[in-house]
Amino acid sequence: LALPQRSPFCLQKIEDGHLNNSLGSPVQADVYFPRLIVPFCGHIKGGMRPGKKILVMGIVDLNPESFGISLTCGESEDPPADVAIELKAVFTERQFVRNSCVAGEWGEEQSSIPYFPFIPDQPFRVEILCEHPRFRIFVDGHQLFDFYHRIETLSAIDTIKINGDLQLTKLG
């Protein structure tokens, strides 16, 4: 039985529901968290559950193409970990698409939104609220859409990955 390969950038950890930052409290020996670098990969302690919220704050790059936020079941690349929800902001099409990948199969992509909330070179705040039947996505305090769970075991959703054309300023 081979252990899954660790992604080279999956070194940061979320402890007690909060990410430790370089200015935060003393860091335990097994926690490596130099700064919020992109691509980012971090562990969600205890996994997701109804009532748990993930906060991603950042600044969109000046000339962005896209950025993505994924909640996954572990860090494995080969075979790829299940993706509970992947959010992708695509600036050329002004879309905020979402999807999931279970057992290597991508589901039906959803893209309808009332408006595109991201502006180049401007800060943003994305909140992913886990409820019993769905994730509820808020951007800058406004509910944008719901995404119904395609992965039944919420506690298995224990990793957050962020990549693309953005700078991270806060995670929690």
Side-chain angles (χ1 to χ4, degrees):
L1 181 70
L3 293 173
Q5 292 291 315
R6 285 184 69 83
S7 219
F9 56 90
C10 272
L11 299 170
Q12 299 89 351
K13 298 291 181 192
I14 297 176
E15 299 293 336
D16 305 320
H18 298 286
L19 283 164
N20 294 316
N21 64 29
S22 56
L23 304 173
S25 55
V27 178
Q28 299 170 358
D30 65 335
V31 176
Y32 174 68
F33 192 76
R35 60 194 184 284
L36 297 172
I37 51 172
V38 176
F40 175 86
C41 181
H43 181 73
I44 303 166
K45 190 171 184 180
M48 295 302 288
R49 64 182 176 279
K52 190 162 190 166
K53 183 167 40 176
I54 299 288
L55 170 68
V56 178
M57 294 176 70
I59 301 169
V60 177
D61 285 353
L62 185 57
N63 294 304
E65 288 181 26
S66 67
F67 69 81
I69 302 169
S70 299
L71 300 183
T72 65
C73 301
E75 305 169 9
S76 174
E77 302 287 337
D78 187 23
D82 284 347
V83 178
I85 184 170
E86 179 181 81
L87 304 171
K88 188 170 185 182
V90 184
F91 287 82
T92 51
E93 298 164 22
R94 297 182 59 79
Q95 289 196 316
F96 196 27
V97 296
R98 52 264 182 215
N99 205 345
S100 66
C101 184
V102 182
E105 296 288 322
W106 284 95
E108 187 177 331
E109 189 174 89
Q110 299 174 11
S111 61
S112 65
I113 48 173
Y115 62 95
F116 186 71
F118 303 104
I119 301 167
D121 204 31
Q122 292 297 309
F124 66 87
R125 174 188 180 105
V126 172
E127 294 171 85
I128 305 169
L129 174 63
C130 183
E131 294 183 345
H132 179 65
R134 67 190 163 223
F135 290 112
R136 231 179 206 167
I137 310 304
F138 297 83
V139 178
D140 297 329
H142 300 282
Q143 184 186 337
L144 205 57
F145 54 79
D146 291 344
F147 185 85
Y148 285 83
H149 295 305
R150 298 176 184 173
I151 289 182
E152 301 297 318
T153 311
L154 298 180
S155 61
I157 305 166
D158 64 357
T159 303
I160 179 169
K161 297 180 179 183
I162 302 169
N163 60 33
D165 303 321
L166 77 162
Q167 300 165 33
L168 290 174
T169 56
K170 183 178 179 183
L171 288 173

